[in-house]
Amino acid sequence: MRDTENMPAEAEFDEDEEPSFSDPEDFVDDVTEEELLGDLLKEKPQEADGIDSVVVVDNVPQVGAERLEKLKNVIHKIFSKFGKITNEFYPEAEGKTKGYIFLEYSCPAHALEAVKNADGYKLDKQHTFRVNIFTDFDKYMNISDEWETPEKQPFKDFGNLRHWLEDADCRDQYSVIFESGERTGIFANDAKEPIVVEERARWTETYVRWSPRGTYLATFHQRGIALWGGEKFKQIQRFSHQGVQLIDFSPCERYLVTFSPLMDTKDDPQAIIIWDVLTGQKKRGFHCESSAHWPIFKWSHDGKFFARMTQDTLSIYETPSMGLLDKKSLKITGIKDFSWSPGDNIIAFWVPEDKDIPARVTLMQLPSRQEIRVRNLFNVVDCKLHWQKNGDYLCVKVDRTPKGTQGMVTNFEIFRMREKQVPVDVVEMKEGIIAFAWEPNGSKFAVLHGESPRINSSFYHVKNNGKIELIKTFDKQQANSIFWSPQGQFLVLAGLRSMNGALAFVDTSDCTMMNIAEHYMASDVEWDPTGRYVVTSVSWWSHKVDNAFWLWTFQGRLLQKNNKDRFCQLLWRPRPPTLLDVEQIKLIKKDLKKYSKIFEQKDRLSQSKASKELVDRRRTMIEEYHAYRENAQKIYQEQRVLRLDLRGGVDTDELDSNVEDWEEETIEFFVNEEIIPLGEQV
């Protein structure tokens, strides 16, 4: 704008004369087009816009005119997910397509999304798409014919990611969050007291998670997830996902799934992202309406497949392409729940009754999709699927309302997965079920049933002869949760939260109650990976006072009470699967007495070592005191001349030695006087 302050105030205009809006001859226009027309210039077509929106798809099937329309429909269905396609071109020669096509999107961003997600897409066994932006051809044409040695990338040494397994005393580690989340520590477990491995302030903003094999520690931040590992817990990888709230690892630790409610858009699915842990690259994004049933994706035991359930649909994806298995989802009308076997690529799912069609549980082998067992069920209210840790058994808990009766009964349908035709045994329970849990490495299961205060715990054994035997029932238990040792045989029956932390330690080999104890208001129970120790804790997240974690032996003997200010969470670091085979484990168990003597001797040495360390520490302290005293006396003597000079030649060091020259003088002085009349009561 021109300065108008110097315009003559008395300037007048003739009303009949048309005003002039021309600039004076000496006017300099210093306003740029960007300032005046910035918004319009942003929409100005760029020279390369048309080309940047075009992708070239190679390895497309070569078909004749009779199959061209079908091919176009398939291609359009795949590539329209990434944006609006405005133009398609299928080059032909001798009546057949040439095996590559051109697709033009409405904007370059959609073309880039197509390249990112469709490159490497497996159409069938013979055709895997290669997708490129059309402008990449200039780059490929200018590639030199001479071989150039790739630039050597610096090696990032994160240390030994499994160093904790080499601990000479076989100490397991656990993470602890305390001070209401302000501090996070990693500790090595020891029967005497925890040993600090690493401790940091504000390491995470919410909570932490260990990966399934214990290699990585995941911390949560507003901008995403960070993975830490190695001896000094260096940062190994970062995954940018704004507002991330939930995560899940694949069992093989190769992939990480993150969920954020903030990022999702219609054109760019970002609510759920699957990442490659090693490279940090995003593999695929998915929409998600609700995270109420996390994890949304459930993984097969080997990480080769992952599946998701939506209304009337079960979608199974394969890695590493992250595409649908056989390019299509399973249509299963009314599907309610599904679960992978922990030992095989088998999916179990159940469908409720529909008019005259009974409810059914189906076991499906993958990737063949062969149904290996179908079990029809009647009068079903609800089902829950419980796999044994090794996948040897599947228990389907079926809540039923038998015709002609009131109330509900529960059946446990036990599928024997390792036997031919997968036979099914049934255990009927007429009482309400509070909790169910399989023995991790065995064929027993435990059930809490009844109603408070008459809650019973029953233990069953699935025998090889086709029968299920009731081993033992304990009456009137204060328990609402079952926690098996990871190695089986031992378990803890816990009455958490509202049941005031009642604990019962049980040996199921002979069903004896080893100990009954209490950790008041306990909110969590966590077994260590070896099954030697168990931790009970009161989390600040659920209860604001008495926050602590207590360490017990598997027999129920209390070893430690660790009070942490506003303690929040304790998680044991998982161990990877053992490298020993079944025969080697049997041999170790057979020679266990021989090993026990070695370990007992080591324990005694450890105790004597601790005593020796205490004595040595005290001796060192005494020696340090004597050295300090001698040094103080030396300095005192060196300052004698200075003291005599300051005190007029009086040797105050020798006052005690001249006692016979002292004179005793008694001094009396008035302190107080009180007059009490004799005739009055005091």
Side-chain angles (χ1 to χ4, degrees):
M1 293 179 64
R2 288 192 297 172
D3 190 356
T4 59
E5 291 182 1
N6 298 325
M7 292 180 65
E10 64 275 5
E12 297 181 0
F13 298 97
D14 190 341
E15 294 182 359
D16 297 330
E17 183 182 347
E18 185 175 340
S20 173
F21 295 98
S22 301
D23 294 319
E25 292 181 4
D26 59 345
F27 174 75
V28 178
D29 188 357
D30 58 354
V31 182
T32 63
E33 290 186 354
E34 284 73 15
E35 289 181 279
L36 288 174
L37 306 171
D39 295 340
L40 293 175
L41 288 175
K42 286 181 181 178
E43 299 177 7
K44 179 181 177 180
Q46 301 296 319
E47 184 178 345
D49 265 1
I51 303 176
D52 285 345
S53 299
V54 176
V55 299
V56 184
V57 185
D58 204 357
N59 292 341
V60 176
Q62 295 178 317
V63 298
E66 69 281 359
R67 297 178 59 196
L68 180 58
E69 193 61 34
K70 183 178 180 181
L71 176 64
K72 286 184 176 181
N73 290 336
V74 172
I75 294 293
H76 192 273
K77 183 177 180 181
I78 295 170
F79 285 88
S80 61
K81 293 186 293 186
F82 312 118
K84 183 180 179 182
I85 299 174
T86 58
N87 199 7
E88 303 176 7
F89 179 58
Y90 290 72
E92 297 183 24
E94 299 179 0
K96 295 181 70 176
T97 57
K98 288 187 174 183
Y100 60 89
I101 62 172
F102 300 88
L103 301 176
E104 183 179 0
Y105 283 92
S106 58
C107 71
H110 294 164
L112 287 171
E113 192 68 18
V115 172
K116 188 191 303 182
N117 291 284
D119 186 37
Y121 181 88
K122 190 174 181 180
L123 184 66
D124 53 38
K125 292 181 180 179
Q126 287 79 32
H127 300 91
T128 301
F129 293 154
R130 296 314 309 266
V131 186
N132 291 282
I133 298 289
F134 186 79
T135 51
D136 285 346
F137 274 87
D138 291 336
K139 178 177 69 178
Y140 297 140
M141 290 296 290
N142 294 327
I143 294 176
S144 174
D145 293 334
E146 295 182 7
W147 164 256
E148 293 181 9
T149 305
E151 183 181 347
K152 189 175 181 180
Q153 298 296 320
F155 173 70
K156 293 182 179 179
D157 186 7
F158 298 114
N160 182 2
L161 296 182
R162 293 191 171 179
H163 73 286
W164 87 98
L165 299 175
E166 299 176 356
D167 183 84
D169 295 314
C170 302
R171 296 187 185 96
D172 280 289
Q173 294 183 355
Y174 54 81
S175 63
V176 175
I177 297 178
F178 56 102
E179 292 184 9
S180 65
E182 284 295 307
R183 298 196 68 82
T184 302
I186 310 296
F187 297 87
N189 181 43
D190 189 84
K192 298 178 180 64
E193 60 180 358
I195 301 169
V196 178
V197 177
E198 192 75 24
E199 187 174 317
R200 298 177 189 174
R202 294 178 291 279
W203 199 350
T204 182
E205 293 181 17
T206 51
Y207 60 101
V208 299
R209 277 280 306 273
W210 291 104
S211 60
R213 297 180 179 180
T215 309
Y216 308 107
L217 177 72
T219 57
F220 287 71
H221 310 274
Q222 182 60 31
R223 295 184 179 181
I225 298 295
L227 295 189
W228 311 79
E231 296 180 33
K232 299 298 182 183
F233 284 92
K234 296 179 181 177
Q235 188 178 104
I236 293 175
Q237 200 61 265
R238 290 184 301 174
F239 306 94
S240 179
H241 198 181
Q242 190 76 18
V244 62
Q245 293 183 353
L246 301 166
I247 67 169
D248 186 39
F249 283 92
S250 64
C252 59
E253 296 187 340
R254 180 65 192 274
Y255 303 104
L256 173 69
V257 186
T258 59
F259 166 78
S260 170
L262 306 179
M263 299 287 289
D264 212 14
T265 61
K266 185 177 181 181
D267 297 330
D268 186 17
Q270 296 267 6
I272 294 178
I273 299 178
I274 299 181
W275 308 86
D276 188 307
V277 169
L278 297 179
T279 65
Q281 293 180 342
K282 174 185 173 182
K283 299 295 289 184
R284 185 168 178 182
F286 293 88
H287 293 296
C288 181
E289 291 75 27
S290 171
S291 63
H293 301 286
W294 185 261
I296 302 297
F297 290 103
K298 297 179 183 178
W299 292 88
S300 62
H301 76 289
D302 54 7
K304 290 184 177 179
F305 305 99
F306 59 99
R308 176 185 191 178
M309 183 184 71
T310 52
Q311 187 173 1
D312 299 333
T313 305
L314 182 62
S315 301
I316 303 169
Y317 301 84
E318 57 184 342
T319 61
S321 69
M322 303 294 161
L324 277 170
L325 180 64
D326 297 334
K327 302 181 295 299
K328 59 183 179 181
S329 298
L330 288 169
K331 203 74 175 164
I332 307 172
T333 305
I335 182 171
K336 282 287 187 182
D337 193 16
F338 77 98
S339 182
W340 287 94
S341 164
D344 305 277
N345 285 332
I346 295 174
I347 271 188
F349 62 87
W350 81 277
V351 178
E353 295 178 73
D354 184 17
K355 299 178 182 177
D356 296 332
I357 303 173
R360 71 182 189 277
V361 175
T362 304
L363 299 177
M364 180 181 290
Q365 183 88 45
L366 290 166
S368 64
R369 304 196 184 198
Q370 177 188 356
E371 293 186 355
I372 58 176
R373 187 70 162 90
V374 177
R375 175 80 168 175
N376 291 328
L377 304 167
F378 299 90
N379 306 316
V380 174
V381 177
D382 191 22
C383 284
K384 290 287 185 293
L385 307 173
H386 300 277
W387 284 97
Q388 188 253 10
K389 182 184 174 183
N390 298 325
D392 296 338
Y393 305 98
L394 168 66
C395 172
V396 181
K397 172 180 165 288
V398 185
D399 295 328
R400 301 170 55 243
T401 52
K403 288 184 178 179
T405 61
Q406 289 187 349
M408 189 168 62
V409 299
T410 299
N411 285 1
F412 293 121
E413 309 268 339
I414 309 295
F415 292 69
R416 298 172 180 262
M417 299 300 299
R418 305 301 179 201
E419 299 181 26
K420 288 184 178 180
Q421 298 180 342
V422 191
V424 180
D425 301 312
V426 180
V427 176
E428 184 173 309
M429 307 284 290
K430 296 189 182 297
E431 294 181 308
I433 305 301
I434 298 169
F436 172 96
W438 280 104
E439 181 183 23
N441 294 320
S443 54
K444 295 192 283 286
F445 61 88
V447 184
L448 289 176
H449 52 95
E451 294 181 3
S452 184
R454 297 185 60 85
I455 296 175
N456 303 320
S457 59
S458 297
F459 303 93
Y460 293 84
H461 182 209
V462 182
K463 293 199 162 185
N464 295 327
N465 59 6
K467 294 182 180 180
I468 298 178
E469 177 188 15
L470 173 62
I471 307 171
K472 180 82 172 179
T473 296
F474 291 112
D475 297 330
K476 297 181 181 178
Q477 296 296 304
Q478 280 189 292
N480 52 21
S481 304
I482 304 168
F483 297 94
W484 280 94
S485 160
Q487 304 304 322
Q489 182 176 343
F490 304 104
L491 62 77
V492 175
L493 301 175
L496 300 180
R497 296 179 175 87
S498 60
M499 288 192 172
N500 296 330
L503 305 169
F505 295 81
V506 182
D507 181 355
T508 62
S509 62
D510 54 5
C511 284
T512 55
M513 197 78 73
M514 296 183 293
N515 190 25
I516 296 176
E518 180 183 271
H519 185 176
Y520 182 68
M521 293 307 294
S523 57
D524 300 282
V525 175
E526 294 279 348
W527 280 93
D528 87 312
T530 65
R532 294 177 296 171
Y533 303 99
V534 62
V535 164
T536 60
S537 59
V538 181
S539 172
W540 185 79
W541 290 335
S542 61
H543 196 64
K544 299 302 180 186
V545 294
D546 299 328
N547 305 128
F549 64 91
W550 294 2
L551 181 72
W552 312 73
T553 66
F554 68 93
Q555 298 163 314
R557 181 164 58 90
L558 182 61
L559 297 176
Q560 299 172 16
K561 291 184 179 182
N562 294 287
N563 297 313
K564 288 284 186 183
D565 180 31
R566 289 163 292 164
F567 162 83
C568 298
Q569 180 196 51
L570 182 146
L571 291 177
W572 288 96
R573 188 173 193 172
R575 285 176 171 260
T578 178
L579 300 177
L580 302 175
D581 59 33
V582 176
E583 293 302 319
Q584 289 173 316
I585 293 173
K586 284 183 179 178
L587 185 62
I588 291 172
K589 288 183 176 179
K590 182 180 177 182
D591 298 334
L592 190 60
K593 289 184 178 179
K594 180 178 72 175
Y595 296 116
S596 296
K597 292 178 181 178
I598 298 172
F599 293 135
E600 287 170 3
Q601 183 181 2
K602 193 171 181 179
D603 289 341
R604 286 194 296 271
L605 285 172
S606 175
Q607 292 173 359
S608 62
K609 182 181 177 183
S611 302
K612 185 176 180 298
E613 287 177 352
L614 181 62
V615 171
D616 290 343
R617 189 162 63 247
R618 288 177 176 174
R619 184 180 291 115
T620 302
M621 292 172 66
I622 291 173
E623 289 173 354
E624 288 174 352
Y625 167 73
H626 285 309
Y628 168 78
R629 188 172 184 273
E630 288 176 6
N631 186 52
Q633 286 177 332
K634 182 180 178 182
I635 295 172
Y636 187 76
Q637 290 301 324
E638 290 173 352
Q639 295 174 344
R640 176 180 173 82
V641 177
L642 180 61
R643 287 197 300 277
L644 287 170
D645 185 46
L646 291 172
R647 296 167 184 170
V650 178
D651 187 2
T652 55
D653 298 347
E654 303 296 332
L655 286 177
D656 291 344
S657 61
N658 300 324
V659 176
E660 63 275 6
D661 297 332
W662 290 4
E663 294 181 5
E664 183 177 347
E665 184 178 351
T666 303
I667 300 174
E668 295 182 0
F669 56 92
F670 180 75
V671 178
N672 191 18
E673 181 180 4
E674 185 177 359
I675 300 173
I676 302 174
L678 294 176
E680 297 181 8
Q681 295 278 335
V682 179

